[in-house]
Amino acid sequence: MESKLNLDTPAYDEIQKNIDVNQKLVQELNTGAHDIDEVRKVVSQIIDEKVDPSTEIRLPFYTDYGRNLHLGKNVFINAGVTFTDLGGIYIGNRVLIGPNVTIVSVNHQIDPSQRRHLDLKPVYIHDNAWLGANVTVTPGTVIGENAIVGAGAVVTKDVPANTIVAGVPAKIIRRIEVEN
C-alpha cells in the first residue's frame, strides 16, 4: 500500500523519536563484538519483533527506521545489508540475502517543491528467494517465491515466482523448474 509522508508534521516527529533510539542501537550493534544470540536480541529491539532463533544476521547491519522491517524464519542476512524500511519491508521464510544488498521502501517526491516529502511503498520478498551480492531492490517491488536475483542486479519491477533475474534493470534470465 503506497502512502505519502510529510517530513514537517507531528506524525514524522513521532517517527523521528524511534529513529533516534534505533540509530544508537544500530551503532552499538555494529561497533561491538556480539555472538549470534546477542545480534538477534538487539535486532529484535530495533524492529520491535522477536527475531526467530533460526535467523542469522551478519554484521554490519543497517536500517534507517527498523520498526517496519519484518523477518520470517530461517532467514540469512549477510554483512553490510541496508534496509530503508519506513515504507515497510516484508521478508518471508528461508530467504537468503547476500552481502551489501540494499532494500529500499522509500523515495522522495518528484515535484521540487515537495522533494523533502516521502513516498512510501512496501517491498515484499517471498519465501525461498535469494538475493545475490550487491543487489538493489527499489520501492514497491515484489520478489516472488523461489526467485533468484543475480549479483549486482537492480530490481525496479516485480520478479515473478520461480524465475532468475539479473542485470540493470533486472530482467528475466530463465524460469526455475521446481520439483514437488
Side-chain angles (χ1 to χ4, degrees), residues 143-161:
I143 298 175
E145 185 173 8
N146 301 320
I148 298 172
V149 181
V154 177
V155 178
T156 59
K157 295 180 181 172
D158 293 352
V159 176

Side-chain angles (χ1 to χ4, degrees), residues 121-137:
K121 296 179 183 177
V123 171
Y124 295 90
I125 302 172
H126 289 279
D127 294 351
N128 294 317
W130 171 20
L131 282 59
N134 297 302
V135 163
T136 298
V137 179

Side-chain angles (χ1 to χ4, degrees), residues 42-164:
V42 174
V43 173
S44 293
Q45 288 178 276
I46 292 167
I47 70 173
D48 199 31
E49 291 179 8
K50 185 176 186 326
V51 174
D52 191 83
S54 64
T55 291
E56 182 177 349
I57 301 167
R58 300 270 174 98
L59 300 178
F61 167 90
Y62 303 104
T63 180
D64 69 330
Y65 180 58
R67 297 298 168 95
N68 288 339
L69 175 59
H70 309 280
L71 303 175
K73 295 179 181 177
N74 204 23
V75 172
F76 177 77
I77 300 170
N78 213 322
V81 173
T82 299
F83 298 101
T84 305
D85 67 287
L86 189 57
I89 297 173
Y90 300 85
I91 298 173
N93 299 322
R94 298 172 306 282
V95 170
L96 303 174
I97 302 177
N100 301 311
V101 166
T102 300
I103 303 172
V104 180
S105 64
V106 175
N107 209 348
H108 291 274
Q109 295 183 16
I110 294 172
D111 179 348
S113 69
Q114 302 296 312
R115 187 77 35 91
R116 293 267 311 146
H117 303 311
L118 304 174
D119 288 331
L120 309 176
K121 296 179 183 177
V123 171
Y124 295 90
I125 302 172
H126 289 279
D127 294 351
N128 294 317
W130 171 20
L131 282 59
N134 297 302
V135 163
T136 298
V137 179
T138 61
T141 54
V142 176
I143 298 175
E145 185 173 8
N146 301 320
I148 298 172
V149 181
V154 177
V155 178
T156 59
K157 295 180 181 172
D158 293 352
V159 176
N162 302 309
T163 59
I164 299 173

